[in-house]
Amino acid sequence: MNQIFKKTGLFLTAFVGVLLSSKAIRAAVLTEPTNTMQDITNTFTSAPRLAEGPAGAKPFSWGTTKIQANFVRDGHLTGRTDKLIVTSNGKITIQEPTSAGYEFQNIWNTLSVDAYAELGAGGKTGKSTSKREMDISGDTTVTVPADRAAMMASNAGKRVWIGNKVQTYHLKKSNYYITQEAYTDVGQITLKPTITGTPASANPIVSGTGTQTGDKISVAVDGTTKETAVKADGTWSLDWGGRLPTRAKMTVTETNAYGDKPGTVEATISGADLAITVKETAINLTPSDIEGYQSVSDDQVLADLIKRFGITAIDKADNNSSTGIVIGTSDSQFLKNLRQANGGTSASTSFTATKAGETVTTDKPLTVSVGNGILSFSTMPTRSDFAKTMINGQGQIVQRTGDWNVGVTDTRKSGSPWRLSVSESPLTNSETGKELSGYVYYTADGQTETKIGTGSTFIASGQKATGVGDTYKLNDGWTDNKGILLHANSDVTIGSYNGTMDWSLSDAPTK
């Protein structure tokens, strides 16, 4: 049995008074057009006109009945279309006078711009039905050669024509007739790339969404550009291959070969220059502390540990501000394990500071040791008094005055017992040395008196309750007829009396 002793002074004055002391995104994406031929006849408007030919000539109308093309989007040509199949049904007749003797020499189907310039052509065969007439029914393949692909793309969003070109010849003289038969607009969209979230200097993986599968994504930072492509699900990602420069501007541009309007989006790379410091690398907790952790959140436990260790973190890149910094532990199980710790055990972990995707760690792990707890006096008055009282020649009860606050603090495991006892030396007259006629006693119910003398007298007992820093106060609930009082006999004499009280606190079982 462990005992703690405290000695306090006990005084009685004049017997007119007695003094007694004691804390995957899936994007909406356009599917990339393919090389598959699609019928787009209904997107063309028939409006035959002569683009080139002798004065007074009329357009050759070939009776186009069907137009197919590759790299079609939403039923329209695109700037990447490089092949068309034009189906004609009809006959054409030489427009020169019979007497001139002209014959058909060559015929083509053409793809041209609004103000005539040839984008592509395909030689067409025909069957002569007479010296001046030819049946041109059938299919013709029109191709856009590689050296005109850029010109085709540059006409996205503009009008193009399907037409024909006829050459007639006689005696080293030839005439050309160029007819534009039907027109349509080449499809064009505005590309709208995105960047997912805010790029972080500590995270080299950047990502976002694009407008059309296969489009080229160019990521530019501080004069360096890297490229990737929009995937089938509409997303793109790129590994920069190293730390991104903090607070630099990132520009993402989406382009393609279809003549669509490039799209650009910008973001400022977030970043931090973090520093984390601690005042204490090891702290001690009690069983009461651990039990107190059971009823609060992880955040509250963490806040308490941060305070005890004196952990601080700043962002040097943000004027040494702590704004936005999250302090945590590198071990995800640390708080769980700490809640289960018993007296005599310890746990360690490194603490981290995180902001804008960047994390720094304490130089070494910080240690929490859990002791067995302490049973102790939390308060002890240096002087406690009994009230000044007039002698009336009869036995009488003298009330307390002043400070009688004897406190017990218990940080041990809940359920641990404690016992409080007291003894006192006789009250003696400070002038004559004569003992007081009477006695000091303790009553819990106002009726039963327990005299306090030189032997140990039981006052109170209890068990450690759950909670941090659980405290028992001796004089809680005391009234005029409860607690420690003084009984003066009828023959008490006038004087000032004093003595001492010895308080004993032990971890013995309750009475």
Side-chain angles (χ1 to χ4, degrees), residues 217-233:
I217 296 292
S218 301
V219 181
V221 179
D222 273 359
T224 299
T225 299
K226 298 187 179 184
E227 296 178 349
T228 185
V230 179
K231 295 182 285 189
D233 65 354

Side-chain angles (χ1 to χ4, degrees), residues 16 149 163 278 300 313 320 401 438 495-496:
V16 194
V278 299
Q300 290 171 295
N320 294 330
T401 187
S496 294

Side-chain angles (χ1 to χ4, degrees), residues 1-333:
M1 180 180 76
N2 297 321
Q3 287 186 307
I4 303 169
F5 294 97
K6 291 284 185 178
K7 184 183 293 288
T8 59
L10 184 64
F11 301 92
L12 182 64
T13 301
F15 212 76
V16 194
V18 180
L19 309 174
L20 181 65
S21 130
S22 57
K23 169 163 284 235
I25 300 174
R26 179 176 177 85
V29 62
L30 297 175
T31 302
E32 184 179 16
T34 68
N35 198 33
T36 303
M37 304 300 292
Q38 296 184 43
D39 186 345
I40 57 171
T41 307
N42 63 359
T43 66
F44 280 82
T45 299
S46 178
R49 67 183 188 179
L50 190 67
E52 185 178 322
K58 297 180 180 180
F60 276 101
S61 181
W62 286 18
T64 299
T65 59
K66 185 177 182 181
I67 302 172
Q68 301 172 72
N70 66 355
F71 297 108
V72 171
R73 182 173 60 204
D74 293 332
H76 291 271
L77 295 173
T78 67
R80 192 178 172 187
T81 297
D82 61 5
K83 180 179 178 181
L84 299 94
I85 298 176
V86 181
T87 303
S88 303
N89 183 20
K91 299 175 181 180
I92 57 174
T93 302
I94 290 178
Q95 296 189 21
E96 285 88 1
T98 303
S99 59
Y102 278 87
E103 298 177 355
F104 288 110
Q105 182 76 13
N106 296 294
I107 56 177
W108 301 266
N109 268 117
T110 61
L111 176 68
S112 61
V113 300
D114 200 31
Y116 184 81
E118 192 175 285
L119 293 168
K124 185 173 181 61
T125 59
K127 181 179 180 181
S128 297
T129 57
S130 69
K131 290 183 178 181
R132 295 177 55 80
E133 187 178 72
M134 181 177 287
D135 186 345
I136 45 78
S137 299
D139 295 342
T140 303
T141 299
V142 177
T143 59
V144 178
D147 61 358
R148 296 194 183 181
M151 184 178 176
M152 179 68 189
S154 69
N155 276 278
K158 300 177 183 178
R159 180 177 294 183
V160 294
W161 292 78
I162 284 293
N164 55 71
K165 184 176 182 181
V166 176
Q167 181 188 22
T168 59
Y169 180 79
H170 175 62
L171 297 176
K172 297 184 180 181
K173 182 179 180 182
S174 65
N175 285 327
Y176 286 89
Y177 298 83
I178 298 174
T179 301
Q180 293 179 312
E181 284 201 282
Y183 65 84
T184 189
D185 290 331
V186 179
Q188 184 183 50
I189 59 175
T190 299
L191 306 179
K192 297 180 179 180
T194 70
I195 300 172
T196 300
T198 300
S201 58
N203 182 9
I205 307 299
V206 290
S207 61
T209 63
T211 312
Q212 179 174 273
T213 301
D215 283 1
K216 182 171 70 175
I217 296 292
S218 301
V219 181
V221 179
D222 273 359
T224 299
T225 299
K226 298 187 179 184
E227 296 178 349
T228 185
V230 179
K231 295 182 285 189
D233 65 354
T235 64
W236 61 267
S237 63
L238 184 145
D239 187 344
W240 192 256
R243 184 184 176 88
L244 290 160
T246 301
R247 307 193 187 284
K249 180 182 291 185
M250 175 181 289
T251 302
V252 174
T253 303
E254 181 179 1
T255 58
N256 60 30
Y258 298 90
D260 293 324
K261 295 179 180 179
T264 299
V265 64
E266 294 182 340
T268 299
I269 299 169
S270 68
D273 185 5
L274 300 179
I276 185 169
T277 58
V278 299
K279 291 183 178 179
E280 304 291 341
T281 58
I283 60 171
N284 297 314
L285 298 182
T286 67
S288 281
D289 295 325
I290 300 302
E291 290 176 357
Y293 286 166
Q294 311 306 313
S295 59
V296 298
S297 68
D298 281 355
D299 287 344
Q300 290 171 295
V301 174
L302 190 61
D304 183 63
L305 294 176
I306 291 171
K307 182 178 179 180
R308 290 173 185 261
F309 280 115
I311 301 172
T312 57
I314 59 170
D315 181 0
K316 292 182 282 187
D318 189 20
N319 297 319
N320 294 330
S321 170
S322 61
T323 302
I325 300 176
V326 177
I327 298 177
T329 64
S330 59
D331 181 358
S332 62
Q333 297 297 308

